[in-house]
Amino acid sequence: MTAASAPGKCILFGEHAVVYGQPAIAVAIEQRCEVKIEETNTENWIIDGLNYLPEKHPHVEGLRNRLWFQGPSLKLNIISEVPAGSGLGSSAALSIALAAAMRAKKGRRVGIDGSWHEGYSSEINQTDAYSDNLQKTDPGSICIGGKKLFGIDAIDSDELGILGHAVEAASQGGRASPTDTAAVSLGGAVLVSDKREESAEWQYSRNLNTPEGERKWEVHKISLPESFDEVSLVIGDTGVHAPTGDMVAGVAELLQKNPEKMQEIVAIGKLVRRATIAMKDGDLQALGNAMTENHLLLRGLGVSHPKLENLIKAAAPYSLGVKLTGAGGGGCMIALTTQPKTVSQAIEMAGGTAYVSKLGAGGVHLHE
Ligand code: PMV
């Protein structure tokens, strides 16, 4: 059996504005999704004891087509602490953990010099994980000599990020920013922008052909100083599900009717750049203030919800900063606080479900 896990994520700053090219910051959270895989001699794949239905599991299907198009059926076991459909990156966590387990088990053929003879990378372009016409051939099979690596030696975080982003995009009608998959695979804190930002450590670029045209993102890491150990993130789930696509479409309509609202999008971008500096400096109060300010701007874009406002009001007196996280319209809010127990209780008393995490948990991890 091979097992891997990956964390969920929270958007700290910049949701919605990121759709218009502004930067956004996301952190990996402690709640994780673990996937175990083993080969089975049944004809069908099996997920959690049930027959696998591709239409029910588009991310699994996307990875099967890219990584496991040959070979025996797999039996998958998924244990997730990341609530689904709440904007906490549950599908990204599943995709990245499964991609890691599959690659570790399948292995990777490399040449004598260590060069890859199979796999996806931003440095090689003869294989394209984003293509609709996947070439289901294994370049490794025509390689003479070399060797096959398995387990941790076969895993590459760039490849996992590409695969995760490609299957997220494929299952979301061709639209997905790499924010979730970058946070989940790299762990820690990531900054995603349409240009390289001086204030953070650039990692890689991602391009995607979306229905609205070619999009490009630059993915960076932000190193968190030690002072972050003093604070927690408390996540409050309203239990209200609002599809991300509908919320994004709502903002687009608002901007079309009121073009002056674009100033708020630009203001969010400026705030994110300010927050990046506060994060690097470990200035927790400045960070909290920026979160609350970001929430007010999001509220102005019409993406809050009475239940979010309730949880935010309950958490605010014991927090450095509070805001909704992700698409809004329901979903989750977050509070930056040194009193996680008190804030959790306040959230639960106000009718939400609370989760506590440190900021910037570890990324994808192979267990067995
Ligand atoms: O669906 P979530 O909660 O992961 O967040 C979506 C973030 C948006 O900025 C609203 C949309 C996007 O594609 O970035």
Side-chain angles (χ1 to χ4, degrees):
M1 179 193 303
T2 306
S5 73
K9 68 91 220 250
C10 261
I11 298 185
L12 278 193
F13 297 99
E15 50 274 90
H16 287 291
V18 70
V19 174
Y20 299 90
Q22 301 295 338
I25 299 175
V27 290
I29 55 174
E30 285 176 66
Q31 288 67 28
R32 300 182 73 84
C33 173
E34 188 187 24
V35 183
K36 294 179 184 161
I37 62 171
E38 64 189 309
E39 288 174 9
T40 162
N41 49 19
T42 55
E43 197 185 319
N44 280 325
W45 280 37
I46 297 177
I47 295 196
D48 293 332
L50 299 172
N51 257 343
Y52 164 70
L53 300 169
E55 61 282 10
K56 229 183 121 191
H57 298 281
H59 298 85
V60 175
E61 184 62 8
L63 288 171
R64 179 160 93 147
N65 286 333
R66 286 161 178 81
L67 275 182
W68 207 276
F69 43 81
Q70 289 163 331
S73 299
L74 288 181
K75 195 161 91 175
L76 272 62
N77 204 246
I78 302 165
I79 304 161
S80 187
E81 301 163 343
V82 188
S86 309
L88 297 181
S90 59
S91 61
L94 166 67
S95 305
I96 297 283
L98 179 57
M102 277 180 168
R103 174 58 79 198
K105 190 158 190 66
K106 174 183 158 71
R108 184 194 310 284
R109 183 160 288 282
V110 297
I112 313 164
D113 58 356
S115 59
W116 288 11
H117 288 283
E118 63 179 305
Y120 305 92
S121 154
S122 30
E123 319 250 302
I124 48 174
N125 47 20
Q126 69 265 46
T127 51
D128 178 10
Y130 294 91
S131 171
D132 289 335
N133 303 308
L134 293 164
Q135 288 171 6
K136 294 187 178 178
T137 53
D138 181 349
S141 58
I142 50 158
C143 163
I144 300 162
K147 57 184 172 178
K148 191 120 188 187
L149 304 176
F150 289 95
I152 192 83
D153 295 333
I155 289 180
D156 177 84
S157 76
D158 181 36
E159 179 182 62
L160 297 181
I162 290 174
L163 285 166
H165 185 215
V167 301
E168 285 255 277
S171 62
Q172 289 172 201
R175 295 178 191 91
S177 87
T179 315
D180 285 22
T181 40
V184 160
S185 58
L186 296 169
V190 299
L191 172 84
V192 174
S193 179
D194 66 344
K195 53 174 178 282
R196 288 202 193 189
E197 303 281 343
E198 298 272 300
S199 55
E201 302 142 45
W202 179 81
Q203 304 289 306
Y204 49 72
S205 309
R206 287 281 180 267
N207 293 321
L208 185 67
N209 234 331
T210 73
E212 287 77 35
E214 178 87 6
R215 288 281 139 89
K216 184 169 185 189
W217 296 274
E218 303 295 343
V219 176
H220 313 71
K221 265 195 109 155
I222 304 173
S223 315
L224 300 178
E226 270 172 24
S227 59
F228 276 83
D229 295 345
E230 295 161 25
V231 280
S232 300
L233 211 52
V234 182
I235 301 156
D237 191 348
T238 60
V240 177
H241 293 289
T244 300
D246 292 357
M247 299 310 295
V248 172
V251 173
E253 205 182 307
L254 180 84
L255 290 170
Q256 209 180 16
K257 284 192 189 139
N258 310 281
E260 73 282 359
K261 286 266 177 196
M262 193 48 96
Q263 285 170 14
E264 298 185 21
I265 298 281
V266 175
I268 293 176
K270 284 193 181 137
L271 188 115
V272 177
R273 293 197 170 93
R274 198 153 36 87
T276 310
I277 309 289
M279 272 181 109
K280 282 176 58 177
D281 292 349
D283 187 342
L284 297 170
Q285 189 56 65
L287 197 69
N289 293 344
M291 282 170 66
T292 306
E293 218 180 301
N294 195 165
H295 179 71
L296 298 178
L297 288 163
L298 286 165
R299 200 201 262 167
L301 294 175
V303 295
S304 194
H305 182 277
K307 287 204 171 161
L308 279 170
E309 293 297 323
N310 249 349
L311 301 189
I312 283 172
K313 205 166 128 200
Y318 319 104
S319 305
L320 296 160
V322 276
K323 69 182 275 290
L324 69 84
T325 184
C332 293
M333 51 71 69
I334 47 174
L336 184 73
T337 180
T338 52
Q339 303 172 67
K341 255 197 175 153
T342 313
V343 172
S344 301
Q345 279 165 0
I347 286 173
E348 301 260 345
M349 290 284 286
T353 307
Y355 302 87
V356 180
S357 172
K358 67 176 184 190
L359 279 91
V364 60
H365 183 69
L366 185 71
H367 297 269
E368 289 159 54

